[in-house]
Amino acid sequence: MPERSVTTQPGMVPAASRTAGTMFAALYGELVPHAGHDPEHDAYQLFYQRSLAMGWLDDSSAGGGLEEGMVRATGLWGMNDAGWSHPLAAPGSALTSWFQVEASAVADDRPLPVQPFLRCAEDTTERVGTLNLSTVQILLPVQGLDPSSRPPYAAVPSMQTVDWFAACDLRSRTPVEVGINSGRDPSIPALAKQLTGHLGDLDQDVFVCSSHDIAGQDALVPPPFDDRLWNGPPRHGVVLRGQLAEWSCDAVGWLAEVVADSVAQLGFRSPLLFTVTRAQSPG
Amino acid sequence: MSGHGWWNKGNCSNNRANVYNCLYEWYTDNTWRQKACSPTAELRPGGGRGNRTTARHACANTLPTSWRNHVDVDVIGEIDTSEWPYNQANVACRVY
């Protein structure tokens, strides 16, 4: 076994730009592929190109090219990986696609970019087939949020865009279950009452919570990534039940952004597993 | 820990390139040390399925560490330019 130098170790470049952390999305449901889809155009390629086209791909860490010194695009995330299937997906979980990025540092008056992230994820998936979405699961890098840096006009930045959902048809309201899990950290069950109170105090009806329960591992679709990527496995969580303004990745993303900021305000500072499942409508 | 390599055609004439990518870990003596390389593969442009290379290395632990993923592209039958592009990221993965 080689000896390690006492003074020289792997580490972080001192001047490296700060990032928020790993953000992961898994979409579940039924995907009926379009006829004639060329499998060469896979989730990785399509998500990368969609992110680039929308101007959301962060290229500021690139270097080494003939264009050294050029102005690079700052963006919302850097690409990690993506796919249709995943070796860690639970058997029978109906995973249709997954996407992993490194979220860029979050601006003081902006949310984690969950809505644009899910926009690219959904666009990518629907590019190859017709998607009937049943569950959206997201790993939120809450540790990348600093509530003390939020200006008063954007204490919960996503509240600045709440009226986008005010235009939803009332008939679009959809019953959902929202799983919020802190993994091995027992914080989230302890914060459940404060969290639901906080959501209720916000001037929003994108998500109206009707009840909540403490929930553990059995209440969740097991996430298709290694426990070491966060604080897994998902042992400690809550499930909120209520109505979402519409069953869309936009509404799920908005709610994820609000929950991330809310738990950060309550002192939570770790990756959070956030899972929204469309509940069966009564009758 | 993994990184991918692929190429876009740009203004090249040919449609095939030999591509590989390597992962480099930053050390506190301000050096970047190679930890893994993909095999070289002859790829079409675009980065789609079957047209990417992958370099991988198992993580020893999840301490935050700076990594670079360098991609080397040799377009078949064309004179190479000298760039050696990379992307850099801080990742919760450390290798010794």
Side-chain angles (χ1 to χ4, degrees), chain A residues 9 13 40 42 61 63-64, chain B residues 28 44 49 52 66 84 86 88:
Chain A
Q9 292 283 320
V13 175
E40 180 180 342
D42 64 359
S61 76
Chain B
T28 52
R44 290 189 293 155
R49 191 180 82 158
R52 295 190 296 272
S66 296
W84 193 41
Y86 65 81
Q88 183 175 316

Side-chain angles (χ1 to χ4, degrees), chain A residues 4 14 25 33 36 66 140 157 159 167 180 192 194 205 209 214 234 248-249 255 262-263:
Chain A
R4 286 185 214 153
L66 286 177
L140 299 168
M159 286 301 295
I180 302 170
Q194 289 168 274
D205 61 0
C209 184
I214 305 301
S248 69
C249 281
L255 179 59
S262 299
V263 297

Side-chain angles (χ1 to χ4, degrees), chain A residues 5-281:
Chain A
S5 160
V6 174
T7 54
T8 301
Q9 292 283 320
M12 293 229 292
V13 175
S17 57
R18 196 168 57 89
T19 58
T22 300
M23 193 156 61
F24 191 109
L27 306 186
Y28 299 86
E30 185 184 11
L31 182 65
V32 180
H34 298 318
H37 167 66
D38 181 348
E40 180 180 342
H41 304 300
D42 64 359
Y44 184 100
Q45 183 198 49
L46 295 173
F47 181 85
Y48 176 88
Q49 294 195 11
R50 190 62 173 157
S51 302
L52 186 62
M54 302 302 279
W56 296 333
L57 193 73
D58 191 328
D59 203 28
S60 58
S61 76
L66 286 177
E67 314 85 350
E68 193 76 69
M70 66 188 274
V71 176
R72 298 279 185 176
T74 56
L76 301 175
W77 58 74
M79 179 72 183
N80 282 176
D81 215 342
W84 306 129
S85 59
H86 197 291
L88 296 178
S93 65
L95 178 71
T96 65
S97 53
W98 62 272
F99 308 88
Q100 183 182 318
V101 299
E102 180 70 15
S104 305
V106 177
D108 290 349
D109 64 349
R110 300 291 172 88
L112 275 173
V114 188
Q115 282 190 82
F117 180 44
L118 291 182
R119 168 57 40 218
C120 287
E122 186 178 31
D123 285 353
T124 294
T125 310
E126 292 189 326
R127 200 67 176 157
V128 305
T130 301
L131 175 65
N132 183 10
L133 189 66
S134 61
T135 297
V136 179
Q137 190 167 51
I138 314 159
L139 183 65
L140 299 168
V142 176
Q143 72 277 14
L145 297 177
D146 177 8
S148 68
S149 71
R150 295 295 197 205
Y153 69 87
V156 178
S158 299
M159 286 301 295
Q160 298 173 103
T161 61
V162 70
D163 289 330
W164 177 258
F165 300 98
C168 286
D169 188 328
L170 283 175
R171 289 170 296 186
S172 299
R173 295 198 73 81
T174 305
V176 294
E177 289 189 350
V178 181
I180 302 170
N181 200 292
S182 50
R184 287 175 291 152
D185 178 346
S187 299
I188 286 297
L191 294 172
K193 198 168 180 183
Q194 289 168 274
L195 174 61
T196 54
H198 189 264
L199 293 174
D201 290 342
L202 293 172
D203 186 17
Q204 62 87 23
D205 61 0
V206 180
F207 175 71
V208 177
C209 184
S210 53
S211 68
H212 74 272
D213 283 317
I214 305 301
Q217 200 154 351
D218 295 342
L220 276 181
V221 178
F225 47 78
D226 196 283
D227 289 340
R228 288 171 293 183
L229 194 61
W230 65 307
N231 203 16
R235 289 195 181 128
H236 300 284
V238 294
V239 173
L240 314 184
R241 295 182 190 84
Q243 296 267 331
L244 197 60
E246 62 179 9
W247 180 239
S248 69
C249 281
D250 290 340
V252 170
W254 186 92
L255 179 59
E257 292 167 357
V258 169
V259 166
D261 264 296
S262 299
V263 297
Q265 283 185 16
L266 295 170
F268 185 75
R269 295 283 182 278
S270 298
L272 191 70
L273 185 63
F274 182 86
T275 307
V276 182
T277 300
R278 182 178 195 167
Q280 296 297 319
S281 298

Side-chain angles (χ1 to χ4, degrees), chain B residues 18-67:
Chain B
N18 288 313
V19 178
Y20 70 93
N21 69 295
C22 294
L23 297 172
Y24 292 79
E25 185 180 31
W26 187 81
Y27 275 69
T28 52
D29 60 356
N30 206 24
T31 58
W32 291 91
R33 302 191 186 181
Q34 189 183 93
K35 296 295 174 165
C37 287
S38 71
T40 300
E42 185 178 314
L43 305 182
R44 290 189 293 155
R49 191 180 82 158
N51 287 299
R52 295 190 296 272
T53 59
T54 305
R56 291 185 196 282
H57 200 297
C59 305
N61 58 47
T62 55
L63 291 171
T65 306
S66 296
W67 289 85

